[in-house]
Amino acid sequence: MTASVQVVDGEPAVALGQVSGIYGVRGWVKVFSYTRPRENILKYRHWYLKIDGAWKLHNITEGHLSGQAVVVKLAGLDDRDLARKFIGVDIAILRSALPKPADGEYYWADLEGLDVVTVEGVSLGQVDHLMNTGANDILVVRGDQERLIPYARGHVVKEVDMVARRITVDWPTDF
């Protein structure tokens, strides 16, 4: 799963993760974070959680890394059994809470839905989502077929035009 654009209370929001488990007996939860590094999700103390199809604001009172896991304490959640009901719940923050990216940098959610064309002008489809392989980010492009295109600025990705909602790539159409 990737960070994707949501709408919360009529405002754009970005999914940052999902509650993935419980931690201890006092209502702490484990979180699968889409941020890099994963602990960056802890910079945001006001999370919207999608519970029963509706986004509800929850405040984070504490949080830290525990080994490779991000664990958090949600305000008012003090019971392990109640915390278990949060497993699988999506986490989002308002888009306005994110820092503005530097020139030439983009949030994954901003790239989703953009058209992808080759330098020759051939349409390959649209960015469905992105994923990280460890070596680099990958654009998952859906069109006449699914393509996995490395997000390598300058080498493969030649231009990102947010106004035209288009990414130009140097990529073979038969790959």
Side-chain angles (χ1 to χ4, degrees):
M1 184 69 185
T2 65
S4 60
V5 176
Q6 310 286 326
V7 176
V8 175
D9 294 335
E11 291 188 46
V14 176
L16 289 189
Q18 189 175 66
V19 177
S20 60
I22 54 176
Y23 180 80
V25 296
R26 295 198 169 123
W28 285 66
V29 293
K30 291 182 185 178
V31 171
F32 180 79
S33 173
Y34 307 149
T35 65
R36 282 188 304 178
R38 71 178 55 115
E39 64 269 18
N40 276 359
I41 197 169
L42 298 172
K43 291 181 177 181
Y44 308 100
R45 294 300 192 176
H46 307 290
W47 290 357
Y48 286 88
L49 302 179
K50 194 169 191 178
I51 301 169
D52 297 326
W55 291 101
K56 298 177 183 165
L57 180 63
H58 288 267
N59 295 315
I60 306 309
T61 59
E62 296 179 62
H64 61 271
L65 278 176
S66 178
Q68 295 295 316
V70 175
V71 296
V72 300
K73 178 74 174 85
L74 298 168
L77 184 59
D78 300 315
D79 177 80
R80 176 182 178 93
D81 292 329
L82 184 56
R84 188 179 315 276
K85 296 176 182 178
F86 283 73
I87 295 173
V89 168
D90 291 324
I91 301 165
I93 63 166
L94 295 180
R95 176 71 162 102
S96 59
L98 291 172
K100 185 177 189 242
D103 286 340
E105 291 184 1
Y106 307 95
Y107 288 109
W108 283 11
D110 295 338
L111 300 177
E112 292 173 356
L114 296 187
D115 293 322
V116 179
V117 298
T118 67
V119 290
E120 293 84 19
V122 177
S123 175
L124 299 178
Q126 289 187 326
V127 177
D128 182 71
H129 63 279
L130 289 92
M131 61 182 179
N132 183 279
T133 63
N136 53 279
D137 296 335
I138 301 290
L139 297 165
V140 179
V141 178
R142 297 231 167 106
D144 61 335
Q145 68 184 54
E146 182 178 88
R147 291 179 172 88
L148 304 178
I149 302 175
Y151 188 84
R153 293 279 305 201
H155 179 67
V156 175
V157 174
K158 297 299 184 181
E159 180 184 33
V160 176
D161 186 336
M162 295 303 289
V163 174
R165 301 202 38 80
R166 180 182 59 240
I167 300 173
T168 303
V169 297
D170 187 1
W171 195 253
T173 57
D174 59 351
F175 190 73

